[in-house]
Amino acid sequence: MMRRTAGFAGVFAVMWLGTGCGEEARGAAPYDWRLPAGFPTPRVPADNPMTEVKVALGRRLFYDVRLSQNGTQSCGSCHEQARAFTDGRVSPVGSTGQVHRRNAQGLANIVYATSLTWANPALTSLESQALVPLFGTEPVELGFADREQELIERLRSDAALEAEFRRAFPDEQTPVSLATLIRALAAFQRSIISGSSPYDRFVYGKQVDAMTRQQKRGLELFLSERMECDHCHSGFNFQDATVHESTVEPILPFHNTGLYNEDGRGTYPAADQGAIELTGRPEDMGRFRAPSLRNVSVTAPYMHDGSMATLSEVLDHYAAGGHARLRNGGEASPLQSGFVRGFTLTAEEKQDVLAFLESLTDTDFLTDPRFSDPFSAP
């Protein structure tokens, strides 16, 4: 989300997460995951166990506009449930009106993700990541930079909210704190699980008619060596960077998809060059995280900069072996992934693949009251 995220988040993680986190809330009911068929048990930090009351508090905070300094936005402003927790914009707009440079990513199944932003390998926990929109300055999101105490006092002034914090964190001497705030937000985000799409009902539920024939043909193409899609969008979550209780060692891959090649050497536009901005390694030029494809049909626009409006355009990009080929007379970027090599689809096959991607839409998830705005009118 920002260029100086690594050091910023790391400092606050030590200051706030390293002290006073405590164990599972005394007497609090453990959270019931209600995991979809085929989904592994999520991995949860030992210092932030999941409980029903903590998730409920996190949901309320996620949608509370008081988490922006000027009271105009909440986390939910850029992560709308009906859009699978994206915002439908090319670039999000922060609470102060600043336009951000990267497209808002979805939060569905974020509990399984090993990396949490487009191109920051240092942000690997939802607790650390929550600090970025709250206090970051590049870009300004919620706008509380250098005003942490103001935020906490604002929350403490609400007696009912303070009581919710006390129920969620009964072992904390000071229930309302930055540490408990970000732990509650992280707990709610971990609860946002999507897994009842037509694809899921077909593959895990064994409902043979859950997917249409066209969608099944598209699935075969998606998994084929011709298209190579499942190298970066693999497994139950259609994402290569996945972690859960059975994971031996999480991986943190980032990929160059050949979207840009400004100079024939693979250079991306100066406004956003990917993971290289933090790692400094030349090979990380243009490398970004591969997002999950779940609910992808409702998360347009696409790519890290929102530069593609439709899934049809995305397929054309990969079929061409990267847009850089189109812009440079067929010359591929020397830095792009070896899996982005181009392929040919007939018009019918392209529609089959698009139909398959549509089958990943979990309509129940998009309206599930467990994840909805508690402040909205019933």
Side-chain angles (χ1 to χ4, degrees), residues 23 48 50 113 120-121 127 135 155 179 183 206 211 214 223 247 257 272 304 338 364 368:
E23 300 300 324
N48 193 18
M50 296 284 284
N120 189 341
E127 288 80 4
F135 305 114
L155 300 179
R183 284 156 61 199
K206 308 304 180 184
M211 292 176 68
Q214 183 183 36
L223 298 174
T247 305
T257 64
D272 193 354
H304 72 277
D364 291 339
D368 193 322

Side-chain angles (χ1 to χ4, degrees), residues 68-73 92-100 133 136-137 139-145 147:
S68 60
Q69 197 278 328
N70 59 13
T72 62
Q73 288 189 351
V93 178
S95 60
T96 62
Q98 182 176 353
V99 177
H100 301 177
T137 58
V140 174
E141 296 181 61
L142 297 175
F144 269 107
R147 306 176 81 159

Side-chain angles (χ1 to χ4, degrees), residues 205-219:
K206 308 304 180 184
Q207 298 179 25
V208 295
D209 59 348
M211 292 176 68
T212 67
R213 291 182 180 179
Q214 183 183 36
Q215 290 170 339
K216 293 172 186 177
R217 292 196 302 267
L219 172 58

Side-chain angles (χ1 to χ4, degrees), residues 24 30 46 81 124 170 187 196 223 246 290:
E24 184 167 344
Q81 182 182 10
T124 58
S196 60
L223 298 174
S246 301

